[in-house]
Amino acid sequence: MSSLVSLVNSCLLPAYDGRTPPDWVKRALDQGLAGVGLFGTNLLPPGGPLREDIVDPLRAVRPDALIALDEEGGDVTRLDYHRGSVYPGNHALGAVDDTALTREVAEAIADDLRDTGINLCLGPCADVNSRPANPIIGVRSFGATPDLVARHTRAFVAGLQGRGVAATLKHFPGHGDTGTDSHSWLPDIPRSLDALRVLELPPFAEGFAAGAKAVMTGHIRLPQVDDLPATLSRRVVTGLLREELGYDGVVISDALEMAPILDRWGFGGAAVLAWSAGVDLVLLGATDGEKILPEVYEAVERALRGGELSLERLEEAAARIAALRAWAAPAPAAGTPVRAADATSTGTGLAAARRALAGVALPALPLAGPVHTLRLAAGTNMAVGEAPWGISECLDRLGRLASAAEVEPGTDPGRIPLPEAGEHGDAPLVVVVRDAVRDPWQQETLAALRTLRPGLVAVEMGLTPVPPPDAPTLLTRGAGLANAMAAAELLTGVRWSGPLRT
């Protein structure tokens, strides 16, 4: 069993609770574990430097361990989970449509990851956001057309991997045309294979041509191809991805803890099906893996006895993962950063976010004096998590915040406290929304507030509305800290010159 445990471990990427790696993770690494997936809950303060708290203890046991996290820029960040990303995300980069800028941002993200010892980035999203109401992709996509997404996917891959961080294209075979969030429900994509080849697959093919070291499958179903989710489908992973597209890098599953997978198959059953389908590296999810690993070992033993899985398939997966670990450049020694991280990230990220701004029917800028803000507290999806967003903190840093308030979903617009006459009472009002295009409450509330305060300016930090609004609106095309600071600068006429990370 010990040799089998080592083989299975070499194809697993679990997570753990808390900040400091527990003893069970170190034991598993010593028994061949491929690496560890980090999530926002591992990275919240208080704590010391991420490298010293997390990475160095892991590498002391296994120097070539894969240490992975989602670092997409914009709305989805783990390094800056407690403050917001210092880089704009894909929606902003696709809107600017400068592949040199996209590569520059990806290089800066890779440098941040290398500085902290991370060698596997679970990004970029290569999904074509062909359905604006998609609840899980949205601003995580470079855009709505395959050619746009393809060229920026290639640039992002080149940026990451040129700096020695492995890129992971996701979510194969394309999550952009789904109407439900696969963290909670299993979405169907009712496309024919021919239509899929035209719309969804070109960005993945372009990323493969750029040498992407890994690709992540999505928990989505293609009824025209298979009744099983893509992650568990041999027709999708082996047939479409391996044989038709010729991809021979590492295939990573999306997190098995997501409800459509876990509720039906459990961790062990889903892992066996994923490996059998052709997946190499199984990502378990944010749930602490100590009690999950024995379940997976037992499921593998049963599957080997029953013929549902072969040792040869696991050995093939382990060999691909070993090659990836060998490729991933060793992180620099502690105390020797790749470059002055915050100086570079502030310049690169903020400059890119400034270029992504767009205004619709805006008044003369800058606004006069300090600014009142109301943030309509829209919900987020599980990929984004609880990372902060909004512009009030940035206005405060610039010395231009009069007041800030948050409006909970469902609040009657007539009950929203608006600034009264008095000190700064006549200051401009800015209402901050996020993905209002797919949220009737935000739309209705914003319309009611415009009636009460006709001169207010809206700041939309999500998807660009189509058609564009006909009232004063500033589009940031993302809700990261860099997007927020760029918006605050434009509204006030004050430039920020310090570090974004404080």
Side-chain angles (χ1 to χ4, degrees):
M1 179 64 178
S2 59
S3 61
L4 180 59
V5 165
S6 296
L7 179 59
V8 173
N9 278 349
S10 69
C11 304
L12 284 173
L13 203 64
Y16 62 87
D17 287 339
R19 190 172 179 89
T20 304
D23 288 342
W24 74 261
V25 169
K26 297 174 184 177
R27 289 193 300 271
L29 284 169
D30 196 43
Q31 294 178 302
L33 189 68
V36 170
L38 299 179
F39 292 83
T41 50
N42 299 119
L43 306 173
L44 287 172
L50 184 155
R51 186 181 189 109
E52 294 177 12
D53 285 356
I54 298 175
V55 174
D56 287 348
L58 295 172
R59 295 212 182 281
V61 181
R62 182 158 198 175
D64 67 344
L66 295 173
I67 303 179
L69 47 67
D70 295 284
E71 197 60 40
E72 301 174 15
D75 292 37
V76 177
T77 178
R78 299 297 177 255
L79 289 181
D80 293 302
Y81 189 67
H82 63 292
R83 67 169 68 87
S85 178
V86 298
Y87 304 100
N90 289 359
H91 183 46
L93 295 172
V96 176
D97 196 13
D98 178 348
T99 55
L101 180 67
T102 295
R103 179 167 182 158
E104 184 181 354
V105 168
E107 287 172 344
I109 289 173
D111 287 344
D112 283 356
L113 295 173
R114 289 286 311 282
D115 283 349
T116 53
I118 308 299
N119 57 2
L120 176 58
C121 181
L122 302 180
C125 279
D127 304 300
V128 179
N129 196 51
S130 56
R131 183 184 295 200
N134 186 317
I136 186 61
I137 301 302
V139 295
R140 301 169 66 194
S141 169
F142 288 113
T145 60
D147 58 337
L148 173 69
V149 177
R151 62 179 174 264
H152 286 276
T153 296
R154 172 182 276 274
F156 207 99
V157 169
L160 285 177
Q161 295 191 172
R163 290 293 210 266
V165 174
T168 307
L169 307 182
K170 59 188 186 185
H171 306 80
F172 188 86
H175 210 317
D177 188 27
T178 58
T180 55
D181 183 348
S182 59
H183 290 84
S184 305
W185 307 95
L186 183 62
D188 281 343
I189 298 183
R191 290 192 189 281
S192 68
L193 262 178
D194 286 343
L196 195 78
R197 292 180 181 111
V198 170
L199 181 62
E200 308 286 357
L201 297 186
F204 290 96
E206 194 72 9
F208 299 156
K213 295 296 180 181
V215 61
M216 177 180 286
T217 57
H219 299 330
I220 50 183
R221 183 168 53 200
L222 304 172
Q224 306 280 3
V225 178
D226 201 341
D227 290 333
L228 289 170
T231 300
L232 312 182
S233 169
R234 185 186 298 269
R235 293 177 182 174
V236 172
V237 180
T238 297
L240 185 58
L241 178 57
R242 295 289 193 201
E243 296 174 358
E244 180 172 327
L245 294 180
Y247 184 67
D248 196 38
V250 172
V251 178
I252 305 176
S253 75
D254 207 342
L256 297 192
E257 70 176 1
M258 292 161 66
I261 302 298
L262 186 62
D263 290 352
R264 180 170 176 185
W265 290 282
F267 283 108
V272 165
L273 284 172
W275 282 316
S276 178
V279 168
D280 300 309
L281 184 59
V282 167
L283 177 67
L284 296 177
T287 305
D288 187 90
E290 183 175 16
K291 295 181 179 178
I292 299 172
L293 295 187
E295 177 187 341
V296 174
Y297 303 151
E298 292 171 8
V300 169
E301 281 195 292
R302 289 194 301 270
L304 290 172
R305 289 195 302 267
E308 292 90 11
L309 182 64
S310 69
L311 281 175
E312 291 76 17
R313 172 76 271 276
L314 288 174
E315 289 166 349
E316 176 190 50
R320 286 200 184 98
I321 297 162
L324 175 60
R325 291 199 317 271
W327 176 90
T336 58
V338 173
R339 50 57 174 138
D342 197 71
T344 301
S345 61
T346 295
T348 300
L350 188 51
R354 288 168 181 154
R355 290 181 62 184
L357 293 174
V360 178
L362 289 175
L365 295 177
L367 300 176
V371 176
H372 296 289
T373 67
L374 286 176
R375 189 183 77 129
L376 304 191
T380 62
N381 58 58
M382 289 179 68
V384 173
E386 300 300 323
W389 64 281
I391 67 168
S392 59
E393 179 189 338
C394 293
L395 289 169
D396 192 39
R397 288 201 208 181
L398 297 175
R400 292 294 189 272
L401 180 66
S403 69
E406 185 168 302
V407 183
E408 293 298 323
T411 302
D412 184 335
R415 292 180 167 274
I416 296 174
L418 298 177
E420 298 179 357
E423 184 178 5
H424 303 314
D426 296 326
L429 176 62
V430 172
V431 178
V432 184
V433 298
R434 185 181 195 178
D435 289 328
V437 67
R438 57 191 188 201
D439 184 349
W441 171 73
Q442 289 187 76
Q443 296 173 30
E444 293 162 7
T445 301
L446 181 57
L449 290 172
R450 287 195 190 279
T451 300
L452 296 171
R453 285 290 184 92
L456 74 80
V457 174
V459 174
E460 170 58 81
M461 301 193 76
L463 275 177
T464 301
V466 179
D470 57 4
T473 305
L474 176 59
L475 307 172
T476 66
R477 298 179 166 125
L481 178 57
N483 304 102
M485 184 59 79
E489 288 181 331
L490 185 65
L491 292 172
T492 64
V494 180
R495 281 271 176 151
W496 178 254
S497 58
L500 284 178
R501 292 187 172 112
T502 58

